[in-house]
Amino acid sequence: MSHPDYTDYTDRFSMSAALIKMAYEHRNKGFLPFIVNHMNYWIDGEDPDLIPDDYFSNPASMTGFQLRKINQHLQLFNDNYIPFLMPWYGTGVVPSAVGCQVQFPPKGDPALKNAIINDPAQIKGLKKPDPYNDGLMPRVLQTIDYMKNATSLPVGVTDVQGPLNIALSLCGVENLFLWMYLHPDEVHEIMEYSTEVLIDWIRVQKEHAGQENNSGAWPHGILLPEGFGGIWISDDDCTQLPADLYREFVVPYNSMVLKAFGGGTIHFCGSARHQLQNFLETEGLTGINNFCMGDFAQVKEMQELFKNKITLMLCDFAPFDPEKYFNQLFSFLKPEGIILSSYVVPCYALHEGRYVRDKRDTIEVSKRIYDIIVRYRVETL
């Protein structure tokens, strides 16, 4: 398989990369980089009729699925999207290699079935996985190899759940949170283990993808520019932890991951206003990717607190009422240090702070959102 020639888009990609870098440098006054993202590589929310039956068993199928979306987008929209390919196998790749069982729901993303640690004493017995033999790791590497050999597009690493999520998957949420109070030494031990395993795993993937350690990252499909690191991690469970526990048990380990790759970004969904200062104290952090779910009070706070310090990738799944959503957003949004991305899926929408089931034409909705953003950029920035 080979993808179409993208040389016609070279200038466009270069301009987009420059604008995104300006946002990371907080120099994009009056210019807001944005993406209307219907090129999602995950399956959740996708039209089941469009999902190949062999998406997770055939790298050619996964690659073709993503290429079709990429090519369609580039033809229809002139936003700041810069394409890449994602070896996507759900959010549990590392735990699967340590021993957690994986299930493949019909037309759904892979999911973990169980935790494997029920007693903190078991933590000492954990062995590091072999990326060429254990869990889903070999599938990821095979897919990276295929994507790299079959196309000339850059290939990212698979979804990067941070050390906290890895530890939670291995131990279970209730256990790990309780052990933070009752067995703090063992929690630090599994956080250190999760961190080391994750760093080793990312390095192996980057070697296969031909990516330098300090570059080649796309946090949720948004280019991380040169000079701002080479990794992104997801940390959705930061919303659940008190700030003091997050500071003790998570911040040092996130910092280790980010510093190992010259810096990078953290993603979370929803509201974590109690963690904003902790993010500022995370070494190597260059950006926050937040699916804010319409919490514009938090966006305002982040916008001020992160000014000239951390870039904010302001994201959400496409709202049920885009006009209302973006009218509220652009009433206060300042473009400096901001990148805007709206993710469009066929089967649900953001409505009143939560996701609701819906049936949407992704191209029609994407065009509508694209037009709204372009109009508001002209009128308000």
Side-chain angles (χ1 to χ4, degrees), residues 23-257:
Y24 271 83
E25 295 169 342
H26 300 264
R27 296 191 300 108
N28 61 314
K29 184 175 178 62
F31 297 94
L32 177 69
F34 78 98
I35 298 169
V36 181
N37 197 327
H38 66 89
M39 303 75 64
N40 308 308
Y41 43 80
W42 56 80
I43 298 303
D44 185 33
E46 182 59 84
D47 182 346
D49 294 336
L50 300 180
I51 302 170
D53 291 333
D54 59 350
Y55 189 75
F56 295 110
S57 60
N58 182 0
S61 181
M62 182 180 292
T63 304
F65 178 85
Q66 294 182 21
L67 285 175
R68 286 189 290 274
K69 288 191 169 189
I70 290 169
N71 297 335
Q72 183 181 57
H73 179 86
L74 293 176
Q75 293 169 12
L76 293 176
F77 302 102
N78 186 21
D79 58 6
N80 300 116
Y81 175 68
I82 300 173
F84 79 112
L85 292 170
M86 161 64 96
W88 166 251
Y89 287 88
T91 60
V93 172
V94 171
S96 78
V98 180
C100 293
Q101 291 182 297
V102 180
Q103 58 185 355
F104 288 84
K107 303 292 187 177
D109 290 320
L112 298 176
K113 294 179 65 175
N114 62 310
I116 59 170
I117 297 175
N118 301 309
D119 188 306
Q122 295 174 277
I123 294 171
K124 283 192 179 298
L126 289 173
K127 306 297 183 184
K128 287 188 176 181
D130 178 353
Y132 295 97
N133 291 292
D134 293 335
L136 293 173
M137 287 182 174
R139 290 203 205 186
V140 172
L141 296 181
Q142 291 163 8
T143 304
I144 291 174
D145 291 343
Y146 179 88
M147 289 174 166
K148 187 172 184 297
N149 292 328
T151 80
S152 62
L153 285 179
V155 182
V157 301
T158 197
D159 183 87
V160 189
Q161 296 297 309
L164 175 60
N165 185 269
I166 294 171
L168 288 169
S169 298
L170 295 175
C171 299
V173 174
E174 292 183 5
N175 280 344
L176 191 71
F177 286 176
L178 182 62
W179 295 344
M180 287 180 180
Y181 292 100
L182 300 180
H183 303 281
D185 290 343
E186 286 80 358
V187 173
H188 277 293
E189 187 174 356
I190 195 167
M191 289 298 294
E192 183 174 350
Y193 167 86
S194 299
T195 300
E196 292 176 354
V197 167
L198 180 59
I199 290 173
D200 291 345
W201 169 228
I202 294 168
R203 285 176 173 158
V204 170
Q205 292 178 82
K206 280 183 169 286
E207 181 178 353
H208 278 253
Q211 300 283 5
E212 298 292 332
N213 279 339
N214 60 354
S215 64
W218 284 263
H220 279 71
I222 304 172
L223 176 72
L224 183 57
E226 293 286 338
F228 291 87
I231 197 58
W232 61 277
I233 59 178
S234 287
D235 212 20
D236 289 298
D237 296 291
C238 71
T239 60
Q240 301 185 58
L241 271 181
D244 59 333
L245 293 181
Y246 189 83
R247 187 177 307 115
E248 178 181 355
F249 291 104
V250 184
V251 169
Y253 303 101
N254 283 350
S255 297
M256 289 172 62
V257 176

